[in-house]
């Protein structure tokens, strides 16, 4: 889950700085112009939440073992 959170944060940062994504595999372009900052910020927030929840789970499991 930590890796997923990091990937979501990277995608969010990419959306903030570059409003259009192009997939060479599928030959499609996704354009986020106009709401790229909002969507990028939401992706970053979800990434931080994923990482935070995983860290809390690990800390809780570690405290229960003691």
């Amino acid at each position: 889950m930590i890796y997923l959170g990091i990937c979501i944060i990277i995608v969010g940062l990419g959306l903030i700085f570059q409003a259009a994504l192009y997939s060479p595999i599928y030959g499609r372009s996704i354009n986020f112009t106009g709401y790229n900052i909002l969507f990028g910020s939401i992706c970053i927030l979800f990434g931080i939440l994923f990482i935070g929840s995983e860290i809390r789970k690990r800390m809780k499991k570690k405290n229960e073992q003691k």
Side-chain angles (χ1 to χ4, degrees), residues 4-17 32 34-51:
L4 177 64
I6 292 171
C7 290
I8 293 173
I9 290 173
I10 291 171
V11 168
L13 287 173
L15 284 175
I16 289 175
F17 293 112
F32 293 100
Y35 54 94
N36 61 326
I37 295 174
L38 174 66
F39 191 66
S41 299
I42 290 170
C43 286
I44 292 171
L45 179 67
F46 278 130
I48 291 170
L49 290 174
F50 276 122
I51 292 171

Side-chain angles (χ1 to χ4, degrees), residues 18 20-31:
Q18 184 178 1
L21 298 175
Y22 176 73
S23 174
I25 296 171
Y26 300 110
R28 303 285 176 170
S29 179
I30 302 172
N31 194 354

